[in-house]
Amino acid sequence: MTAGHPTWLVTGASSGLGKSVALEALKAGYKVIGTTRDVNRAETTCPEFSARGGIWIGLDPAQSDSYEQFAKCSQEHNVDVLVNNAGYAFIGGVEDTRESEVRDQMEVNFYGPLRAARACLSVMRAKGSGHIILISSGAGFIARPGRGTYSASKFAIEAIHESLSHEVKSLGIKVLIVEPGAFRTPFSSRILTPTQYTTGFSEGYKGTAVEHMVAGSRGITSLPDSVKGDPDKAAQAIVKATITGYDYLRLPLGRDCVVALEDKIGQLRRDLDGTRLIAMATDVD
Ligand SMILES: NC(=O)c1ccc[n+]([C@@H]2O[C@H](COP(=O)([O-])OP(=O)(O)OC[C@H]3O[C@@H](n4cnc5c(N)ncnc54)[C@H](OP(=O)(O)O)[C@@H]3O)[C@@H](O)[C@H]2O)c1
């Protein structure tokens, strides 16, 4: 890390978790670059960022030329810590989702962070240090009904970061996959659903878990009490991890996420116990 004043690059820093992480890193005395698709809007919605010394960069990680923009930024500012945060959720049944809607989700949640990570690595390798932090989700480990597209993007980008963690371990670079549960940010008010639902929910899935999930995800204007995650506490945990060090790859955040992960791990354990004999019997004699 750059001695004294590490530089953080946070994508999607204009709101929610990205904003909290950017402000927490500034509070810790670091130089912070925040990306946003709209600098003017970010200046209005998050004036405290530049007031406290943060530097906005206008870029959209979902555009293919963002790789060059990330690389330029990483070199010019000598980035030590990348926080791959920008993202949104697409909620809808697998059958009801257009391929173009899946691609759009992948551009933001998968290709965006992939571009940013690839673009920052050479600067970190040259220093022999750095952190690549992915803000994934509990949905990066668990695929609930109606969340296939969102989970696919998060599973896929977790795979890249998990693989990368092994690739760069001996080079002094650390990778952290953060898996938040439900946090109090504008995230749920920005959820997208299949275009085909504009003419009504699909007949074939009425009354199923898909309809339940979609109904619970649309038109959210105020956060339900069940959403317990505090983005500022999440930001404190993330910044602290880079200061104290960490020997884990995944950092779940929120009680709801811990419960959900335990459920999924139990399910994986039951599947393995139920299939071990079948699996063991398929090697050559
Ligand atoms: N809040 C939760 O409950 C929750 C739970 C699990 C995981 N997460 C993850 O946490 C990350 C941050 O989400 P948040 O809760 O802080 O939500 P948020 O307040 O909506 O912030 C999302 C950020 O991502 C950027 N973004 C959103 N849609 C985009 C698009 N189509 N193209 C490019 N950039 C886009 C936005 O940046 P600009 O508009 O400034 O460009 C925005 O600052 C996401 O990756 C999300 O998947 C959130």
Side-chain angles (χ1 to χ4, degrees):
M1 300 260 276
T2 307
H5 300 286
T7 300
W8 284 51
L9 171 60
V10 182
T11 69
S14 70
S15 86
L17 288 161
K19 176 178 170 178
S20 292
V21 170
L23 294 176
E24 186 63 26
L26 284 172
K27 200 163 130 192
Y30 306 149
K31 176 175 169 185
V32 183
I33 321 293
T35 79
T36 175
R37 287 165 297 169
D38 186 339
V39 173
N40 288 334
R41 180 178 40 110
E43 290 280 14
T44 311
T45 57
C46 184
E48 60 272 49
F49 180 67
S50 24
R52 294 181 200 172
I55 301 166
W56 287 116
I57 288 194
L59 69 76
D60 182 351
Q63 301 301 314
S64 55
D65 68 355
S66 68
Y67 172 82
E68 282 74 27
Q69 294 173 282
F70 279 124
K72 188 167 173 277
C73 168
S74 163
Q75 275 153 20
E76 275 179 15
H77 296 282
N78 203 15
V79 168
D80 296 283
V81 180
L82 165 68
V83 183
N84 258 331
N85 165 75
Y88 74 94
F90 182 95
I91 307 288
V94 171
E95 191 179 339
D96 302 334
T97 302
R98 291 179 183 170
E99 193 175 311
S100 61
E101 291 168 327
V102 178
R103 287 181 190 280
D104 288 347
Q105 175 79 104
M106 295 301 282
E107 283 296 345
V108 178
N109 290 10
F110 176 75
Y111 287 105
L114 175 59
R115 289 177 189 119
R118 290 188 61 240
C120 288
L121 279 163
S122 68
V123 166
M124 294 183 187
R125 271 193 302 105
K127 289 191 259 205
S129 65
H131 295 267
I132 303 234
I133 301 174
L134 171 69
I135 308 299
S136 177
S137 169
F141 187 64
I142 303 154
R144 294 203 168 113
R147 291 180 158 228
T149 301
Y150 179 54
S151 280
S153 69
K154 293 293 193 183
F155 272 50
I157 197 60
E158 282 209 9
I160 291 283
H161 284 73
E162 180 172 334
S163 180
L164 184 64
S165 73
H166 301 300
E167 293 177 6
V168 297
K169 196 173 180 179
S170 63
L171 307 178
I173 303 167
K174 297 216 60 174
V175 177
L176 180 63
I177 298 173
V178 180
E179 293 182 335
F183 272 70
R184 296 184 178 188
T185 75
F187 182 69
S188 40
S189 65
R190 295 172 175 160
I191 286 171
L192 297 185
T193 56
T195 315
Q196 81 159 56
Y197 294 168
T198 48
T199 52
F201 189 74
S202 58
E203 280 300 323
Y205 290 89
K206 283 217 164 124
T208 69
V210 179
E211 185 177 31
H212 187 69
M213 177 64 79
V214 171
S217 309
R218 289 169 106 185
I220 297 173
T221 48
S222 61
L223 286 167
D225 285 346
S226 58
V227 176
K228 300 284 187 208
D230 177 341
D232 292 340
K233 287 192 181 174
Q236 285 157 20
I238 292 165
V239 172
K240 189 171 171 204
T242 65
I243 295 167
T244 57
Y246 47 92
D247 57 7
Y248 41 80
L249 173 61
R250 288 182 173 78
L251 169 62
L253 293 175
R255 279 170 196 267
D256 58 342
C257 194
V258 172
V259 171
L261 292 192
E262 275 173 351
D263 188 52
K264 172 82 185 250
I265 291 164
Q267 214 176 299
L268 289 174
R269 169 58 57 196
R270 285 190 295 279
D271 278 0
L272 187 57
D273 288 348
T275 57
R276 182 174 283 106
L277 291 179
I278 303 169
M280 301 295 223
T282 56
D283 288 355
V284 287
D285 288 327

